[in-house]
Amino acid sequence: MRYIVLDTETTGLDPKQGHRLIEIGAVEVIERTLTGKTFHCYLNPERAIDEDAKKIHGIEESFLADKPKFAEIYQDLIEFCRDTELLIHNASFDMGFINHELKRIEQPPLDAVCTVRDTLKEARQLFPGKRNSLDALCERLGVNSSHRHFHGALLDAQLLAEVFLAMTRGQQSLIAEGAQQENAKEKIEENSMLKNINYTDLRLQVLQASDEEIALHKEYIDGLKQAVWKV
C-alpha cells in the first residue's frame, strides 16, 4: 500500500477570501515505511500574508518573492499524488486550498486522481473528547516533535506520517494476528487430514535381498566382530 502524507501552509484561513497556498509538503509511505521520497515547494502567492498566519509558519513575503507560482508546479504535484491515498490532517482545509488553486487555472480537483483520508477524523474516533491537533498527537503517541518551532508543510507531513503509523499500529497487529491464526488453522486441518488416512489399506512393495547381497552382508558383519575382539 502506498500513501502520500501531505500538508500545506497558506496566507490565511479561507481561499474564498483570496488567500493562497505558500507551501506544499508531502512524503511517501510504502508498506508502513517512510521511503525518503518527498515533494516540497514554496510558492509565490502574489499577495500579502496575514499576520496571524505568519505567527504560525513564520514565512515572510520577501522569502516567497522569487518562488514559483502554483501554475508552474501543479503537474508535478498531481503526478506525485496520482493513484494513491492522501493522508491529511483536517483534509477539508488543505484540499480546499489545493482545489481552489487548481480551479483558478482551470484544472480538475486533486481528488480526481487519488483518494483522500482525513487523519483528524480518525484521531477523534480513536481519542474521543481529547485534543487531537498534530502537536497533541505527537505528545500522546511518543513522536518526537521537539525540533518543531514553527509549522512547516514538509516537517508537519513527516510528523503526521509517524503519527499515522503509531495510530494504526494496532490495526496492523490485528491483521498479522489474523494471518497467523489462519496459518495455524490450515496446519491443524492438514494434520487432521493426515490422521484420517487409513494406512492399513496401503500396499507397500517388499524387495527381497539376493543371495549375493546376503553373503556380502554376512562377510561385513564377520569383519566387524573380528575388529571388536582385537580391541
Side-chain angles (χ1 to χ4, degrees):
M1 176 62 75
R2 178 175 183 259
Y3 300 104
I4 297 299
V5 187
L6 183 144
D7 188 62
T8 66
E9 300 300 338
T10 66
T11 62
L13 294 177
D14 190 351
K16 294 179 182 178
Q17 294 180 1
H19 287 292
R20 306 286 302 277
L21 287 174
I22 59 173
E23 185 184 9
I24 304 172
V27 299
E28 181 184 63
V29 177
I30 296 180
E31 299 297 337
R32 298 186 58 78
T33 301
L34 282 156
T35 67
K37 186 176 181 180
T38 65
F39 175 91
H40 181 234
C41 65
Y42 290 101
L43 299 167
N44 183 347
E46 303 177 277
R47 59 151 293 156
I49 302 172
D50 280 5
E51 291 302 316
D52 287 340
K54 289 181 184 180
K55 293 176 184 178
I56 295 173
H57 50 62
I59 300 174
E60 298 285 346
E61 292 94 338
S62 57
F63 173 75
L64 301 173
D66 61 347
K67 300 301 184 286
K69 298 178 178 61
F70 182 82
E72 299 173 52
I73 62 88
Y74 82 94
Q75 290 179 325
D76 293 335
L77 173 64
I78 288 174
E79 289 309 311
F80 191 73
C81 298
R82 186 181 298 278
D83 298 328
T84 190
E85 187 169 39
L86 288 188
L87 305 179
I88 306 176
H89 210 58
N90 192 16
S92 60
F93 178 85
D94 301 85
M95 291 300 295
F97 270 92
I98 291 173
N99 286 339
H100 186 77
E101 295 282 359
L102 288 167
K103 186 177 180 180
R104 284 171 59 95
I105 56 176
E106 299 180 343
Q107 294 297 321
L110 182 59
D111 39 332
V113 300
C114 60
T115 59
V116 180
R117 185 168 170 178
D118 192 338
T119 54
L120 177 58
K121 291 181 179 179
E122 294 189 17
R124 286 171 174 168
Q125 292 174 353
L126 192 60
F127 307 111
K130 296 184 179 181
R131 292 177 59 247
N132 288 297
S133 65
L134 184 56
D135 284 331
L137 289 171
C138 285
E139 182 177 355
R140 186 176 305 138
L141 297 169
V143 174
N144 183 11
S145 61
S146 58
H147 53 303
R148 182 179 185 249
H149 304 294
F150 284 101
H151 285 254
L154 184 59
L155 174 59
D156 284 4
Q158 291 169 335
L159 290 174
L160 180 57
E162 295 183 40
V163 163
F164 170 76
L165 294 175
M167 284 199 310
T168 57
R169 190 171 292 130
Q171 296 175 12
Q172 290 301 117
S173 297
L174 289 174
I175 292 171
E177 183 180 340
Q180 291 173 355
Q181 290 177 349
E182 186 64 27
N183 290 336
K185 181 181 177 183
E186 289 178 359
K187 288 182 179 179
I188 291 172
E189 291 175 351
E190 181 180 344
N191 291 335
S192 297
M193 290 174 64
L194 292 174
K195 289 179 180 178
N196 292 331
I197 295 175
N198 186 357
Y199 292 98
T200 59
D201 292 335
L202 295 178
R203 296 293 181 265
L204 300 178
Q205 184 178 6
V206 178
L207 297 177
Q208 298 292 341
S210 67
D211 293 340
E212 182 182 357
E213 289 171 335
I214 293 173
L216 289 171
H217 179 67
K218 184 177 182 303
E219 183 181 342
Y220 174 74
I221 296 299
D222 291 340
L224 289 177
K225 289 179 180 179
Q226 291 174 8
V228 170
W229 281 112
K230 287 180 181 178
V231 174

